[in-house]
Amino acid sequence: MSFPNVDRKRRALITGGAGFLGSHLCDRFLAEGWEVVCMDNLITGDLRNIEHLTGRADFRFLHQDVTEFIHVSGPLDAVLHFASPASPIDYLELPIQTLKVGSLGTHKALGLARAKNARFLLASTSECYGDPLVHPQREDYWGNVNPVGPRGVYDEAKRFAEAMTMAYQRFHKLETRIVRIFNTYGPRMRLNDGRALPAFMSQALRGEPITVFGDGSQTRSFCYCDDLVEGIWRLLHSNEPLPTNIGNPHEMTILEFARKVRELTGSKSEIVHKPLPVDDPKVRQPDIGKARRVLGWEPKVPLEVGLSRTLEYFRTRIARGEEVR
Ligand code: UDP
């Protein structure tokens, strides 16, 4: 569903725009000829992700917390709510902020979209499925989430965010979209965010032991960021208000993934095992039948290609002596 014609450039607000995915979205919208307002409180975002955009007339950065009252002057055609801590280590360190940005932040972002008559897109997550009892996960599966475990702060905030988004759609007739994002990787992931890929790559590059949690038989399915951004772009332009999975269905065990990263880096790091975090999902794989059908979308970037591009980024960061855990 295309946007109504306007006699100016279209304008999007991207919350969390200085984060990993948010900054790739800023790039995409600018490349499509939109103006972008990027909002971030920089607790997990990083100005280096958007430094190449500063000074552009069509780009504006607002250092602001989306859980407070947010004001954006001028028109907005789309609001994309991507602000949130997004790694299991972040949830442990920032549990209240994680809950607040998913709940209060979503409410503020929805309120702003309504005031501006803008289309709203929520970054939701495969974590809505928790430790899934249905495999692969289809959008009509309601999930198996532990509300009071350490990951509950993220899972429940995002489930609330979905409910709030649907309420604005049904009650206020706001145009809304919900993307359920599965594991995604690529340049601009934080080196020290503790997720599998940044952990494995920086360990391999520094010749340190690669830490696989548990026996490594748990599975994930990794999607390259450019594929994800394409799916989000299509979803925003579609007519689909109900949650839509976007991710790569290519599933593998974490041990296989660790070996793949080690092989690609040419590292001699040994693989060591550490305790499995509480409530770590045993399996995860998106059913993307709906995205294929409704959006004509599927991932295109093979794992080896995506990993090589990511490796180049991590090599540069580590060579510059930038932060590693
Ligand atoms: N993992 C691991 N070693 C690490 C970091 C993560 O074995 O240093 C595992 C983690 O336990 C999980 C999988 O890799 O099973 C993916 O973890 P990540 O934190 O990337 O995201 P999740 O999919 O759990 O949200």
Side-chain angles (χ1 to χ4, degrees):
M1 196 175 136
S2 55
F3 282 81
N5 281 331
V6 279
D7 52 6
R8 55 169 173 78
K9 278 188 157 202
R10 292 212 176 94
R11 200 155 177 259
L13 170 70
I14 302 174
T15 76
F20 162 48
L21 290 178
S23 64
H24 286 293
L25 282 169
C26 290
D27 287 341
R28 175 66 186 259
F29 277 73
L30 290 166
E32 297 282 352
W34 287 52
E35 283 183 22
V36 170
V37 181
C38 163
M39 185 178 284
D40 208 298
N41 67 357
L42 300 177
I43 60 167
T44 59
D46 190 329
L47 284 179
R48 284 173 296 191
N49 291 336
I50 49 166
E51 65 188 355
H52 58 293
L53 304 176
T54 49
R56 283 178 65 141
D58 50 3
F59 180 77
R60 200 163 153 220
F61 174 67
L62 299 178
H63 187 182
Q64 205 170 316
D65 185 338
V66 70
T67 64
E68 310 283 337
F69 178 81
I70 51 176
H71 172 75
V72 175
S73 51
L76 286 175
D77 303 284
V79 173
L80 291 93
H81 184 38
F82 274 69
S84 178
S87 90
I89 284 192
D90 292 341
Y91 319 149
L92 294 178
E93 286 173 1
L94 305 163
I96 315 283
Q97 288 94 327
T98 304
L99 277 162
K100 280 176 74 180
V101 74
S103 54
L104 307 180
T106 302
H107 186 219
K108 294 281 185 288
L110 278 162
L112 180 66
R114 183 171 171 234
K116 301 282 186 185
N117 199 20
R119 195 172 297 174
F120 178 84
L121 186 142
L122 173 70
S124 186
T125 169
S126 54
E127 286 284 323
C128 287
Y129 303 119
D131 190 6
L133 304 176
V134 168
H135 192 68
Q137 293 76 55
R138 226 172 58 176
E139 289 87 347
D140 54 5
Y141 174 49
W142 292 349
N144 177 39
V145 169
N146 173 5
V148 295
R151 298 173 88 107
V153 296
Y154 184 63
D155 304 6
E156 294 297 2
K158 288 293 189 183
R159 287 164 68 100
F160 174 92
E162 289 197 356
M164 183 64 107
T165 302
M166 291 308 297
Y168 266 68
Q169 191 258 329
R170 294 192 177 111
F171 189 76
H172 289 310
K173 310 290 175 225
L174 189 72
E175 286 275 356
T176 63
R177 311 285 180 263
I178 298 175
V179 56
R180 288 199 183 134
I181 299 172
F182 283 66
N183 292 69
T184 303
Y185 69 98
R188 301 188 194 152
M189 290 187 98
R190 251 165 56 227
L191 263 63
N192 62 353
D193 86 351
R195 283 190 273 193
L197 181 122
F200 295 166
M201 262 196 188
S202 41
Q203 290 161 344
L205 286 173
R206 287 178 296 144
E208 292 177 356
I210 297 178
T211 54
V212 166
F213 298 159
D215 64 3
S217 63
Q218 69 274 30
T219 68
R220 294 293 186 274
S221 313
F222 293 93
C223 183
Y224 188 65
C225 54
D226 291 359
D227 280 333
L228 190 94
V229 165
E230 177 63 28
I232 290 168
W233 177 261
R234 289 189 191 203
L235 179 64
L236 180 70
H237 288 80
S238 80
N239 226 342
E240 179 54 56
L242 289 169
T244 305
N245 290 340
I246 300 284
N248 192 320
H250 178 65
E251 184 185 13
M252 63 178 69
T253 69
I254 288 300
L255 188 57
E256 280 176 285
F257 187 59
R259 289 194 177 127
K260 188 119 222 152
V261 170
R262 181 172 65 176
E263 184 191 307
L264 191 86
T265 53
S267 163
K268 303 228 169 349
S269 289
E270 57 170 338
I271 292 180
V272 297
H273 292 269
K274 294 267 167 100
L276 195 64
V278 178
D279 295 334
D280 198 282
K282 285 181 258 328
V283 289
R284 189 183 284 156
Q285 183 193 27
D287 180 321
I288 59 164
K290 180 176 173 185
R292 281 201 173 101
R293 210 172 49 248
V294 177
L295 311 176
W297 174 88
E298 61 181 10
K300 297 264 185 290
V301 181
L303 187 66
E304 288 71 21
V305 175
L307 284 179
S308 306
R309 290 183 198 161
T310 313
L311 181 62
E312 208 174 302
Y313 171 82
F314 274 59
R315 272 215 171 102
T316 317
R317 295 284 304 268
I318 287 176
R320 279 197 230 134
E322 289 175 11
E323 90 282 8
V324 279
R325 186 172 285 275

